[in-house]
Amino acid sequence: YSSGDIEKILKDNRVIVRDRKTGRTLDSVTGREENLKELVEGVEIIEKDSELPEVEKLVIKTRDIDSMGHDDLIQFYGGIMTDLSELADSLLN
């Protein structure tokens, strides 16, 4: 959820990513979501199983990458592709 123009800063033995366009630090899910909202006017971010809002720009969150690494990633991708296909049909209808 960045503009693509980022910088990496080493602070206290930790790499921090900052979006140069917004000046926001991308160190949490909430921070990345707020950054995207600043970059893309009118975007809504919802969880996968939430009710679909009447908006033009929508980001559907599934699971974070950290939790996916603990499970069978291939199984997750198969399931998410099916879910996203169903959501796309719903949005088109």
Side-chain angles (χ1 to χ4, degrees), residues 26-54:
L26 309 178
D27 60 351
S28 67
V29 172
T30 302
R32 291 186 295 273
E33 289 176 2
E34 292 302 318
N35 195 62
L36 180 65
K37 288 178 181 179
E38 188 170 331
L39 292 167
V40 181
E41 185 177 330
V43 71
E44 290 289 328
I45 302 170
I46 65 167
E47 294 289 335
K48 179 177 67 75
D49 295 324
S50 299
E51 186 173 326
L52 297 174
E54 294 284 329

mmCIF file of all heavy atoms in Angstrom, residues 26-54:
data_model
loop_
_atom_site.group_PDB
_atom_site.id
_atom_site.type_symbol
_atom_site.label_atom_id
_atom_site.label_comp_id
_atom_site.label_asym_id
_atom_site.label_seq_id
_atom_site.Cartn_x
_atom_site.Cartn_y
_atom_site.Cartn_z
ATOM 1 N N LEU A 26 5.305 3.051 7.067
ATOM 2 C CA LEU A 26 4.478 1.883 6.754
ATOM 3 C C LEU A 26 4.887 0.716 7.654
ATOM 4 O O LEU A 26 5.363 -0.305 7.200
ATOM 5 C CB LEU A 26 4.631 1.519 5.273
ATOM 6 C CG LEU A 26 4.435 2.682 4.295
ATOM 7 C CD1 LEU A 26 4.662 2.219 2.870
ATOM 8 C CD2 LEU A 26 3.075 3.308 4.462
ATOM 9 N N ASP A 27 4.641 0.875 8.944
ATOM 10 C CA ASP A 27 5.103 -0.119 9.908
ATOM 11 C C ASP A 27 3.985 -0.922 10.555
ATOM 12 O O ASP A 27 4.214 -1.682 11.481
ATOM 13 C CB ASP A 27 5.957 0.549 10.985
ATOM 14 C CG ASP A 27 5.194 1.613 11.757
ATOM 15 O OD1 ASP A 27 4.060 1.956 11.361
ATOM 16 O OD2 ASP A 27 5.743 2.108 12.755
ATOM 17 N N SER A 28 2.774 -0.764 10.055
ATOM 18 C CA SER A 28 1.640 -1.531 10.589
ATOM 19 C C SER A 28 0.580 -1.649 9.497
ATOM 20 O O SER A 28 0.595 -0.901 8.516
ATOM 21 C CB SER A 28 1.036 -0.832 11.811
ATOM 22 O OG SER A 28 0.423 0.387 11.420
ATOM 23 N N VAL A 29 -0.340 -2.579 9.690
ATOM 24 C CA VAL A 29 -1.444 -2.732 8.731
ATOM 25 C C VAL A 29 -2.245 -1.440 8.664
ATOM 26 O O VAL A 29 -2.556 -0.939 7.589
ATOM 27 C CB VAL A 29 -2.343 -3.933 9.114
ATOM 28 C CG1 VAL A 29 -3.592 -3.969 8.248
ATOM 29 C CG2 VAL A 29 -1.569 -5.238 9.000
ATOM 30 N N THR A 30 -2.553 -0.880 9.815
ATOM 31 C CA THR A 30 -3.325 0.361 9.858
ATOM 32 C C THR A 30 -2.578 1.488 9.160
ATOM 33 O O THR A 30 -3.170 2.249 8.397
ATOM 34 C CB THR A 30 -3.624 0.759 11.316
ATOM 35 O OG1 THR A 30 -4.331 -0.314 11.943
ATOM 36 C CG2 THR A 30 -4.455 2.017 11.396
ATOM 37 N N GLY A 31 -1.274 1.578 9.391
ATOM 38 C CA GLY A 31 -0.476 2.606 8.733
ATOM 39 C C GLY A 31 -0.484 2.469 7.224
ATOM 40 O O GLY A 31 -0.573 3.462 6.492
ATOM 41 N N ARG A 32 -0.394 1.230 6.739
ATOM 42 C CA ARG A 32 -0.417 1.002 5.290
ATOM 43 C C ARG A 32 -1.789 1.317 4.709
ATOM 44 O O ARG A 32 -1.902 1.881 3.610
ATOM 45 C CB ARG A 32 0.007 -0.436 4.978
ATOM 46 C CG ARG A 32 1.489 -0.682 5.269
ATOM 47 C CD ARG A 32 1.956 -2.043 4.834
ATOM 48 N NE ARG A 32 1.360 -3.154 5.534
ATOM 49 C CZ ARG A 32 1.814 -3.667 6.685
ATOM 50 N NH1 ARG A 32 2.874 -3.139 7.265
ATOM 51 N NH2 ARG A 32 1.219 -4.692 7.246
ATOM 52 N N GLU A 33 -2.845 0.975 5.443
ATOM 53 C CA GLU A 33 -4.193 1.287 4.962
ATOM 54 C C GLU A 33 -4.417 2.795 4.891
ATOM 55 O O GLU A 33 -4.975 3.300 3.915
ATOM 56 C CB GLU A 33 -5.237 0.626 5.859
ATOM 57 C CG GLU A 33 -5.282 -0.871 5.707
ATOM 58 C CD GLU A 33 -6.262 -1.546 6.661
ATOM 59 O OE1 GLU A 33 -6.957 -0.834 7.435
ATOM 60 O OE2 GLU A 33 -6.325 -2.782 6.638
ATOM 61 N N GLU A 34 -4.005 3.516 5.924
ATOM 62 C CA GLU A 34 -4.160 4.971 5.927
ATOM 63 C C GLU A 34 -3.343 5.594 4.799
ATOM 64 O O GLU A 34 -3.773 6.577 4.181
ATOM 65 C CB GLU A 34 -3.759 5.553 7.282
ATOM 66 C CG GLU A 34 -4.711 5.170 8.403
ATOM 67 C CD GLU A 34 -6.150 5.599 8.142
ATOM 68 O OE1 GLU A 34 -6.365 6.729 7.652
ATOM 69 O OE2 GLU A 34 -7.064 4.799 8.416
ATOM 70 N N ASN A 35 -2.167 5.043 4.522
ATOM 71 C CA ASN A 35 -1.346 5.536 3.425
ATOM 72 C C ASN A 35 -2.073 5.361 2.092
ATOM 73 O O ASN A 35 -2.106 6.271 1.261
ATOM 74 C CB ASN A 35 -0.003 4.803 3.404
ATOM 75 C CG ASN A 35 1.008 5.498 2.538
ATOM 76 O OD1 ASN A 35 1.384 6.635 2.800
ATOM 77 N ND2 ASN A 35 1.452 4.817 1.489
ATOM 78 N N LEU A 36 -2.669 4.186 1.893
ATOM 79 C CA LEU A 36 -3.405 3.941 0.655
ATOM 80 C C LEU A 36 -4.581 4.900 0.512
ATOM 81 O O LEU A 36 -4.835 5.441 -0.563
ATOM 82 C CB LEU A 36 -3.902 2.496 0.607
ATOM 83 C CG LEU A 36 -4.684 2.114 -0.653
ATOM 84 C CD1 LEU A 36 -3.784 2.187 -1.881
ATOM 85 C CD2 LEU A 36 -5.279 0.734 -0.515
ATOM 86 N N LYS A 37 -5.286 5.151 1.609
ATOM 87 C CA LYS A 37 -6.421 6.072 1.567
ATOM 88 C C LYS A 37 -5.988 7.486 1.207
ATOM 89 O O LYS A 37 -6.729 8.219 0.560
ATOM 90 C CB LYS A 37 -7.159 6.062 2.907
ATOM 91 C CG LYS A 37 -7.940 4.787 3.142
ATOM 92 C CD LYS A 37 -8.613 4.800 4.491
ATOM 93 C CE LYS A 37 -9.362 3.506 4.730
ATOM 94 N NZ LYS A 37 -10.004 3.492 6.060
ATOM 95 N N GLU A 38 -4.775 7.856 1.626
ATOM 96 C CA GLU A 38 -4.260 9.176 1.257
ATOM 97 C C GLU A 38 -3.873 9.212 -0.218
ATOM 98 O O GLU A 38 -4.036 10.222 -0.894
ATOM 99 C CB GLU A 38 -3.054 9.528 2.123
ATOM 100 C CG GLU A 38 -2.580 10.947 1.927
ATOM 101 C CD GLU A 38 -1.543 11.385 2.937
ATOM 102 O OE1 GLU A 38 -1.548 10.872 4.071
ATOM 103 O OE2 GLU A 38 -0.716 12.234 2.575
ATOM 104 N N LEU A 39 -3.377 8.095 -0.735
ATOM 105 C CA LEU A 39 -2.942 8.029 -2.132
ATOM 106 C C LEU A 39 -4.100 7.896 -3.118
ATOM 107 O O LEU A 39 -4.037 8.412 -4.228
ATOM 108 C CB LEU A 39 -1.986 6.849 -2.326
ATOM 109 C CG LEU A 39 -0.622 6.962 -1.647
ATOM 110 C CD1 LEU A 39 0.086 5.609 -1.663
ATOM 111 C CD2 LEU A 39 0.219 8.027 -2.333
ATOM 112 N N VAL A 40 -5.152 7.171 -2.719
ATOM 113 C CA VAL A 40 -6.263 6.872 -3.629
ATOM 114 C C VAL A 40 -7.552 7.438 -3.023
ATOM 115 O O VAL A 40 -8.136 6.847 -2.111
ATOM 116 C CB VAL A 40 -6.400 5.350 -3.861
ATOM 117 C CG1 VAL A 40 -7.543 5.066 -4.829
ATOM 118 C CG2 VAL A 40 -5.096 4.754 -4.359
ATOM 119 N N GLU A 41 -7.976 8.557 -3.542
ATOM 120 C CA GLU A 41 -9.178 9.209 -3.021
ATOM 121 C C GLU A 41 -10.407 8.316 -3.183
ATOM 122 O O GLU A 41 -10.636 7.736 -4.244
ATOM 123 C CB GLU A 41 -9.402 10.524 -3.772
ATOM 124 C CG GLU A 41 -10.548 11.327 -3.220
ATOM 125 C CD GLU A 41 -10.708 12.651 -3.939
ATOM 126 O OE1 GLU A 41 -9.701 13.198 -4.422
ATOM 127 O OE2 GLU A 41 -11.851 13.127 -4.017
ATOM 128 N N GLY A 42 -11.174 8.188 -2.109
ATOM 129 C CA GLY A 42 -12.424 7.449 -2.157
ATOM 130 C C GLY A 42 -12.315 5.942 -2.032
ATOM 131 O O GLY A 42 -13.314 5.244 -2.154
ATOM 132 N N VAL A 43 -11.126 5.411 -1.770
ATOM 133 C CA VAL A 43 -10.977 3.960 -1.658
ATOM 134 C C VAL A 43 -11.512 3.483 -0.303
ATOM 135 O O VAL A 43 -11.365 4.161 0.713
ATOM 136 C CB VAL A 43 -9.494 3.516 -1.855
ATOM 137 C CG1 VAL A 43 -8.619 3.926 -0.683
ATOM 138 C CG2 VAL A 43 -9.401 2.021 -2.075
ATOM 139 N N GLU A 44 -12.164 2.351 -0.305
ATOM 140 C CA GLU A 44 -12.639 1.698 0.910
ATOM 141 C C GLU A 44 -11.894 0.385 1.057
ATOM 142 O O GLU A 44 -11.670 -0.327 0.063
ATOM 143 C CB GLU A 44 -14.140 1.414 0.846
ATOM 144 C CG GLU A 44 -15.004 2.645 0.918
ATOM 145 C CD GLU A 44 -15.005 3.285 2.298
ATOM 146 O OE1 GLU A 44 -14.884 2.559 3.306
ATOM 147 O OE2 GLU A 44 -15.119 4.516 2.364
ATOM 148 N N ILE A 45 -11.537 0.033 2.275
ATOM 149 C CA ILE A 45 -10.821 -1.205 2.553
ATOM 150 C C ILE A 45 -11.696 -2.034 3.487
ATOM 151 O O ILE A 45 -12.095 -1.565 4.549
ATOM 152 C CB ILE A 45 -9.453 -0.919 3.211
ATOM 153 C CG1 ILE A 45 -8.616 -0.017 2.299
ATOM 154 C CG2 ILE A 45 -8.723 -2.220 3.512
ATOM 155 C CD1 ILE A 45 -7.354 0.520 2.933
ATOM 156 N N ILE A 46 -12.029 -3.265 3.038
ATOM 157 C CA ILE A 46 -12.902 -4.120 3.840
ATOM 158 C C ILE A 46 -12.292 -5.514 3.975
ATOM 159 O O ILE A 46 -11.435 -5.903 3.201
ATOM 160 C CB ILE A 46 -14.319 -4.231 3.232
ATOM 161 C CG1 ILE A 46 -14.264 -4.938 1.869
ATOM 162 C CG2 ILE A 46 -14.974 -2.864 3.130
ATOM 163 C CD1 ILE A 46 -15.621 -5.359 1.346
ATOM 164 N N GLU A 47 -12.777 -6.263 4.952
ATOM 165 C CA GLU A 47 -12.399 -7.663 5.104
ATOM 166 C C GLU A 47 -13.145 -8.486 4.058
ATOM 167 O O GLU A 47 -14.237 -8.119 3.611
ATOM 168 C CB GLU A 47 -12.770 -8.179 6.499
ATOM 169 C CG GLU A 47 -12.000 -7.530 7.619
ATOM 170 C CD GLU A 47 -10.545 -7.935 7.665
ATOM 171 O OE1 GLU A 47 -10.186 -9.023 7.176
ATOM 172 O OE2 GLU A 47 -9.740 -7.147 8.198
ATOM 173 N N LYS A 48 -12.572 -9.616 3.684
ATOM 174 C CA LYS A 48 -13.103 -10.455 2.608
ATOM 175 C C LYS A 48 -14.568 -10.839 2.809
ATOM 176 O O LYS A 48 -15.345 -10.815 1.868
ATOM 177 C CB LYS A 48 -12.255 -11.717 2.464
ATOM 178 C CG LYS A 48 -12.733 -12.671 1.392
ATOM 179 C CD LYS A 48 -11.823 -13.857 1.230
ATOM 180 C CE LYS A 48 -11.804 -14.780 2.388
ATOM 181 N NZ LYS A 48 -12.937 -15.649 2.563
ATOM 182 N N ASP A 49 -14.962 -11.175 3.995
ATOM 183 C CA ASP A 49 -16.328 -11.660 4.214
ATOM 184 C C ASP A 49 -17.307 -10.565 4.627
ATOM 185 O O ASP A 49 -18.420 -10.854 5.043
ATOM 186 C CB ASP A 49 -16.309 -12.783 5.260
ATOM 187 C CG ASP A 49 -15.545 -13.998 4.754
ATOM 188 O OD1 ASP A 49 -15.637 -14.296 3.539
ATOM 189 O OD2 ASP A 49 -14.848 -14.645 5.558
ATOM 190 N N SER A 50 -16.908 -9.313 4.491
ATOM 191 C CA SER A 50 -17.777 -8.195 4.850
ATOM 192 C C SER A 50 -18.799 -7.935 3.761
ATOM 193 O O SER A 50 -18.628 -8.337 2.613
ATOM 194 C CB SER A 50 -16.946 -6.916 5.046
ATOM 195 O OG SER A 50 -16.024 -7.062 6.078
ATOM 196 N N GLU A 51 -19.845 -7.206 4.134
ATOM 197 C CA GLU A 51 -20.838 -6.792 3.145
ATOM 198 C C GLU A 51 -20.181 -5.787 2.201
ATOM 199 O O GLU A 51 -19.417 -4.913 2.626
ATOM 200 C CB GLU A 51 -22.028 -6.148 3.850
ATOM 201 C CG GLU A 51 -23.164 -5.810 2.926
ATOM 202 C CD GLU A 51 -24.387 -5.332 3.679
ATOM 203 O OE1 GLU A 51 -24.624 -5.818 4.797
ATOM 204 O OE2 GLU A 51 -25.086 -4.467 3.133
ATOM 205 N N LEU A 52 -20.463 -5.899 0.925
ATOM 206 C CA LEU A 52 -19.835 -5.030 -0.060
ATOM 207 C C LEU A 52 -20.497 -3.657 -0.062
ATOM 208 O O LEU A 52 -21.709 -3.545 -0.258
ATOM 209 C CB LEU A 52 -19.935 -5.648 -1.456
ATOM 210 C CG LEU A 52 -19.204 -6.972 -1.633
ATOM 211 C CD1 LEU A 52 -19.505 -7.559 -3.010
ATOM 212 C CD2 LEU A 52 -17.708 -6.785 -1.452
ATOM 213 N N PRO A 53 -19.717 -2.599 0.144
ATOM 214 C CA PRO A 53 -20.287 -1.249 0.122
ATOM 215 C C PRO A 53 -20.499 -0.768 -1.311
ATOM 216 O O PRO A 53 -19.914 -1.304 -2.250
ATOM 217 C CB PRO A 53 -19.208 -0.416 0.824
ATOM 218 C CG PRO A 53 -17.936 -1.138 0.541
ATOM 219 C CD PRO A 53 -18.298 -2.596 0.475
ATOM 220 N N GLU A 54 -21.318 0.241 -1.459
ATOM 221 C CA GLU A 54 -21.571 0.844 -2.767
ATOM 222 C C GLU A 54 -20.511 1.919 -3.009
ATOM 223 O O GLU A 54 -20.732 3.101 -2.748
ATOM 224 C CB GLU A 54 -22.971 1.470 -2.794
ATOM 225 C CG GLU A 54 -24.094 0.475 -2.683
ATOM 226 C CD GLU A 54 -24.323 -0.293 -3.981
ATOM 227 O OE1 GLU A 54 -24.073 0.268 -5.066
ATOM 228 O OE2 GLU A 54 -24.729 -1.462 -3.893
#
